[in-house]
Amino acid sequence: MLHRRATGQRYAFIVIAVTFLALLVAAALRSAPSVLILPLEAHFGWDRATISFAAAVGIFLYGLTGPFAAALMQSIGIRRTMIGGLALMAASSLASLWMTESWHYVLSWGVISGVGSGAIAPVLGATVVNRWFATRRGLMIGLLTASTATGSLIFLPAMAWLTRNGAWTPVALAVGLAAAALIPVVWLLMPDGPAAIGARRYGESPDALPPAENRRGAMLAITTLAEGMRSPAFWLLFGTFFVCGLTTNGLVGTHLIAYCGDNGISPVQAAGLLSLMGLFDLIGTTASGWLTDRYDPRKLLFVYYALRGLSLMALPAIDFQPTGLLLFAVFYGLDWIATVPPTMALANRHFGEAKAPIIFGWVMTGHQIGAAVAAFGAGLIREQTGSYLLAFVIAGAFGVLAAFAAMGLGRKAPALAH
């Protein structure tokens, strides 16, 4: 082990760096299907609805795995859970090199990669921040959430370039090797908590009691869900995050490149737009974390969802002209996943910091259900109507509805949090 007691509370920032890298690689894996749609259509002759179904399965399992992964982090530890997730990600990507049937794609990039990346999901960031930080939590959650954007920023243009001649195998190879390379880094540098290196959480006073641990494993995820479902706050968080997934990685993350292709824009250029969104989301989501530490998270969610919904409804009207697309990428990018820090803050407020990561995991399941609906639904709409127009208008309308729903979350934490 390379843990150093002398670093004390500052080791929390090393943990943040390792977590950032893991989330970055998971983001690359989850964004890869968007550049694979056209090459897989050309190489195997699969229709877009079939390819979208595999993406939807992966997105759904990514979310469903989250709360169980959060519970596993409490029972077997963060490090082992991360290594298991990275191993599944690497195996699914590399195994797909030998696929010949569409169900192979559903199994590898849908089922196995969905479960693996679900262990390296936003619930990981929530667990790490609550375990390692007593202060600056909003900022740290914002930074880790932004790693999803950074994953797209770094990998998407490169993956699109790898598919420039219609090839898809270089993408699977690159993602698989990146996940495998991170396993020894996690093994060496990722302790399960501050107590493992004789330190306290960052910003924690010396006389503070250590956070309570619960080692009930998978059952903890189920019992926490049962408690959460009795609270209206849970359903409002779940519903708004359903819309978050519907409007981000399910629709734009999966289909924007193909939508641009329908309008004469090359995959490399379209991936550049997503990367630009990633760059501005890195700024927007980190800033959202800073704002969450200072302002009412309900009002932040209202602004984020309203602006996102309006921008999606405006996209078809710009007629895919360069200036309009650039403005959309900047505007939408600032808001891409800025919803995560205030949503996590509200989960902490309503359910307490011990249960909040698992509650957030179930809320994230709602996010991924929404994303899966959009990933498959938009592909089906495109297949049936020949255009993505209706899909983007529907998603935009849901974004506006979510803005008003977010204001229904109360200011005070209920008894469940105690």
Side-chain angles (χ1 to χ4, degrees), residues 40-41 62 76 112 135 144 212 219 227 241 252 332 356 387 390 406:
L40 290 175
E41 272 187 331
Y62 170 79
I76 68 172
I112 301 174
T135 59
L144 291 180
M219 279 306 301
E227 291 181 67
F241 236 41
V252 175
Y332 191 83
S387 171
L390 183 60

Side-chain angles (χ1 to χ4, degrees), residues 5-317:
R5 184 184 299 264
T7 61
Q9 293 184 341
R10 291 173 295 172
Y11 198 86
F13 293 101
I14 297 176
V15 170
I16 288 293
V18 174
T19 306
F20 187 97
L21 289 174
L23 290 169
L24 185 151
V25 173
L29 181 142
R30 290 268 51 91
S31 63
S34 65
V35 300
L36 293 177
I37 291 176
L38 299 179
L40 290 175
E41 272 187 331
H43 184 83
F44 292 105
W46 302 334
D47 62 54
R48 197 163 298 187
T50 299
I51 298 170
S52 298
F53 176 72
V57 169
I59 289 170
F60 172 71
L61 290 177
Y62 170 79
L64 184 62
T65 302
F68 296 97
L72 279 176
M73 289 172 201
Q74 294 197 28
S75 58
I76 68 172
I78 293 176
R79 184 161 59 110
R80 290 179 180 176
T81 305
M82 288 179 69
I83 289 173
L86 288 167
L88 286 176
M89 287 164 54
S92 65
S93 301
L94 296 175
S96 71
L97 294 171
W98 289 275
M99 68 182 180
T100 56
E101 303 290 339
S102 60
W103 71 266
H104 297 163
Y105 183 56
V106 174
L107 178 63
S108 57
W109 282 89
V111 177
I112 301 174
S113 77
V115 172
S117 59
I120 314 294
V123 292
L124 170 63
T127 303
V128 166
V129 169
N130 274 7
R131 190 169 295 188
W132 283 89
F133 286 83
T135 59
R136 300 187 184 178
R137 287 182 179 174
L139 180 60
M140 292 299 109
I141 282 288
L143 182 63
L144 291 180
T145 303
S147 64
T148 300
T150 306
S152 298
L153 173 67
I154 292 175
F155 288 106
L156 258 183
M159 289 191 293
W161 181 81
L162 290 172
T163 65
R164 68 195 185 284
N165 294 320
W168 62 270
T169 53
V171 173
L173 184 63
V175 172
L177 291 178
L182 200 54
I183 292 175
V185 177
V186 172
W187 176 260
L188 290 171
L189 297 177
M190 196 75 188
D192 285 324
I197 58 172
R200 289 185 174 275
R201 292 186 296 174
Y202 183 85
E204 188 174 59
S205 61
D207 57 347
L209 294 175
E213 293 189 11
N214 195 321
R215 298 188 175 275
R216 285 184 286 162
M219 279 306 301
L220 179 60
I222 302 298
T223 57
T224 303
L225 172 64
E227 291 181 67
M229 289 174 67
R230 297 198 294 268
S231 168
F234 172 84
W235 292 109
L236 284 170
L237 290 172
F238 188 94
T240 54
F241 236 41
F242 173 94
V243 175
C244 185
L246 186 85
T247 53
T248 53
N249 57 320
L251 179 64
V252 175
T254 303
H255 290 284
L256 183 62
I257 291 177
Y259 193 13
C260 287
D262 289 348
N263 288 273
I265 298 171
S266 73
V268 174
Q269 289 176 302
L273 283 174
L274 284 173
S275 293
L276 186 61
M277 289 181 194
L279 173 62
F280 279 92
D281 183 63
L282 181 62
I283 298 168
T285 304
T286 303
S288 176
W290 183 86
L291 290 169
T292 299
D293 287 332
R294 290 161 175 79
Y295 299 103
D296 185 349
R298 300 176 310 146
K299 294 179 180 178
L300 294 176
L301 288 178
F302 176 85
V303 173
Y304 298 158
Y305 282 120
L307 292 178
R308 182 185 301 174
L310 294 173
S311 66
L312 283 173
M313 288 189 282
L315 177 61

Side-chain angles (χ1 to χ4, degrees), residues 387-407:
S387 171
Y388 282 110
L389 172 63
L390 183 60
F392 276 76
V393 171
I394 291 172
F398 271 102
V400 175
L401 288 174
F404 289 97
M407 293 304 295

